[in-house]
Amino acid sequence: MRWDRVIGAGAALVLTAGLASAPLLASAALPKVQAPDDDVHLNEIQTVGSHNSYHLLPSAPEVKLRNSFLGDADHGLEYRHAPLPVQFQSQKVRQVELDVFLDAAGGKYANPLLRSAAGVGAYDPVMSQPGIKVLHVQDVDYASTCLTLKACLTQIKGWSDANPTHAPLAILLELKDDDVPFPGFTFVHPEPFNTAAMDTLDAEIRAVMSPDELITPDDIRGVHPTLQEAVTTDGWPTLGASRGKVMFLMDNRGAYRTRYLTGHPNLEGRVLFTNATAGAPDAAFVEHNNSGDVALIQDLVQQGYVVRTRADGDTKEARANDTTARDNAFLSGAQWVSTDYPVPGWAIGFTSPYFVEIPGGTVARCNPVNAPTSCVSAEIDTIYDPVVPPTPPTTTTVPVTSTTVPGKVDDATEATPVAGNAGYTG
């Protein structure tokens, strides 16, 4: 029993008419149904995702101060991303990652230590308000294009509502509550993501996203006792049934996954798909960031799981213009290939032609492992409005919320370090 058969001819007629009355059908703005909407399923495509998709560098004085402590280790933090809607519209990104910190009373992350030490002034007042915050590392790597989870989700929802025919978006959430192990300094001690906090996380998502905008574990499980059985038998919904929708994935494993499953052993009523081990009852999504394990990922995809892997990390592959991990990631059939460089000209502090896009340049492509022969990559998602990279900044002091970036890189065969202080970072 596959999703296309479950939907049936009647629902296909509804899709064609654009009424979208069922919970998992696309919005009323859909044009006539194309072949991929009927024949291709959510797990039978491949798209590019971005890593720590909110991430910006703090101001130049802060970067200079941090680099004086971390040295070359700071290079792993020297990347940044455009605002989420820009990534969707102009960088062909269809999966993003958000790091989330609890802040029940508000103010916990309102005065970052690095910012105070560099003397660059007060931070955004929204950080004093209650609610889950989005940042990378408390006190030392905190700059974000959207400071709260609700703000990030509002941006995602706004773009999705304006573009209801987009291929489904996947939002990877990393739940963070670790301390910073750096001797000699006192950093903020995060609130723990205990079992009760998992309900808070779901509630914040549902406060922004309505049920008909989400693809949830309940939707996929259907009549099956477990998610694992559902995805390895009936499979995932068709593109026609998932256009304009958003699904949420948990990056964490171990105790975080256990707490999220407490009281919800088959993810009943939950929003996120857990990062599970293949064969587990809650297994539908599997994160496997080592793209070199091509055969392993291909096997997971063939079984029916959706997989996220990475093309690069810590700026290393981009600096060396090493495409090995990127090429393996695409070959693996992982549905989401994550990068810090979704377009050319996105490097900070070095030049390299490295970037990651779907082979052939389409927004998405037919999955090389499991897509049907009827699939046409160019028909999966056509929402793309490229923008010309801005010219290099003329000032060496950049506000913390700036998205100004250097211009397009040259065609060097590998990275070339750029001399100077942190002012070039953007």
Side-chain angles (χ1 to χ4, degrees):
M1 183 174 66
R2 295 186 62 87
W3 272 87
D4 47 355
R5 296 170 189 164
V6 173
I7 292 172
L13 180 61
V14 172
L15 272 173
T16 306
L19 298 179
S21 58
L24 274 178
L25 296 181
S27 79
L30 277 174
K32 72 173 185 176
V33 178
Q34 294 177 317
D37 287 35
D38 296 325
D39 300 337
V40 181
H41 294 75
L42 181 156
N43 64 315
E44 294 172 340
I45 66 174
Q46 187 177 63
T47 64
V48 167
S50 57
H51 160 254
N52 291 348
S53 312
Y54 56 87
H55 190 267
L56 291 174
L57 268 72
S59 64
E62 294 171 88
V63 172
K64 183 177 181 179
L65 178 61
R66 188 175 68 191
N67 187 264
S68 70
F69 283 95
L70 299 181
D72 288 347
D74 198 44
H75 289 167
L77 303 177
E78 292 178 352
Y79 63 94
R80 51 79 181 92
H81 286 289
L84 302 179
V86 175
Q87 293 184 51
F88 298 141
Q89 188 73 30
S90 302
Q91 298 185 345
K92 306 176 189 174
V93 167
R94 292 297 180 265
Q95 178 260 310
V96 296
E97 178 183 2
L98 306 175
D99 292 342
V100 293
F101 289 75
L102 295 169
D103 190 13
K108 202 169 188 67
Y109 304 98
N111 189 30
L113 179 62
L114 179 66
R115 190 175 183 86
S116 296
V120 294
Y123 197 24
D124 196 306
V126 74
M127 298 301 282
S128 296
Q129 300 173 8
I132 296 174
K133 303 302 189 292
V134 174
L135 60 142
H136 187 219
V137 182
Q138 64 269 33
D139 286 312
V140 296
D141 194 33
Y142 63 88
S144 174
T145 61
C146 45
L147 301 178
T148 69
L149 178 59
K150 287 186 176 179
C152 295
L153 296 182
T154 299
Q155 291 182 10
I156 294 168
K157 173 181 167 58
W159 184 86
S160 179
D161 288 350
N163 298 277
T165 61
H166 68 75
L169 303 177
I171 316 302
L172 181 69
L173 298 182
E174 182 173 357
L175 285 51
K176 289 201 164 183
D177 56 11
D178 290 335
D179 289 315
V180 177
F182 200 89
F185 295 88
T186 301
F187 297 98
V188 170
H189 177 65
E191 299 172 31
F193 264 100
N194 54 30
T195 302
M198 301 301 180
D199 295 335
T200 299
L201 178 62
D202 278 0
E204 283 217 10
I205 296 172
R206 291 191 183 279
V208 177
M209 300 284 183
S210 62
D212 63 344
E213 295 172 319
L214 295 171
I215 298 173
T216 67
D218 286 339
D219 297 323
I220 303 305
R221 190 187 321 100
V223 299
H224 294 277
T226 68
L227 268 175
Q228 189 273 339
E229 179 179 303
V231 300
T232 57
T233 55
D234 290 352
W236 295 81
T238 61
L239 279 177
S242 54
R243 287 192 184 279
K245 308 297 179 183
V246 181
M247 61 190 298
F248 288 82
L249 317 169
M250 181 184 287
D251 175 86
N252 312 71
R253 291 185 175 180
Y256 299 92
R257 171 178 165 241
T258 300
R259 293 170 199 146
Y260 196 71
L261 288 170
T262 299
H264 309 262
N266 290 300
L267 293 175
E268 301 92 338
R270 286 302 198 189
V271 176
L272 277 62
F273 291 86
T274 45
N275 180 5
T277 303
D282 58 317
F285 162 63
V286 179
E287 183 178 275
H288 195 85
N289 287 330
N290 183 2
S291 62
D293 294 332
V294 173
L296 187 155
I297 297 174
Q298 288 177 337
D299 181 60
L300 290 169
V301 172
Q302 287 171 337
Q303 289 184 62
Y305 300 108
V306 289
V307 181
R308 180 259 199 176
T309 195
R310 289 186 67 175
D312 48 75
D314 301 323
T315 78
K316 293 178 181 178
E317 288 82 2
R319 289 175 185 273
N321 190 31
D322 182 355
T323 65
T324 304
R326 181 195 72 185
D327 297 343
N328 283 336
F330 285 127
L331 180 64
S332 75
Q335 285 82 3
W336 303 294
V337 176
S338 181
T339 180
D340 285 318
Y341 304 92
V343 291
W346 221 240
I348 295 177
F350 63 94
T351 58
S352 169
Y354 180 90
F355 76 106
V356 177
E357 72 170 358
I358 289 294
T362 51
V363 176
R365 75 164 175 169
C366 305
N367 194 296
V369 172
N370 65 351
T373 57
S374 60
C375 181
V376 179
S377 295
E379 296 177 353
I380 295 172
D381 190 326
T382 60
I383 302 170
Y384 174 53
D385 181 22
V387 295
V388 178
T391 56
T394 56
T395 177
T396 58
T397 302
V398 183
V400 68
T401 56
S402 173
T403 56
T404 301
V405 298
K408 186 175 182 178
V409 299
D410 62 24
D411 294 327
T413 57
E414 61 181 348
T416 303
V418 176
N421 62 31
Y424 62 73
T425 55

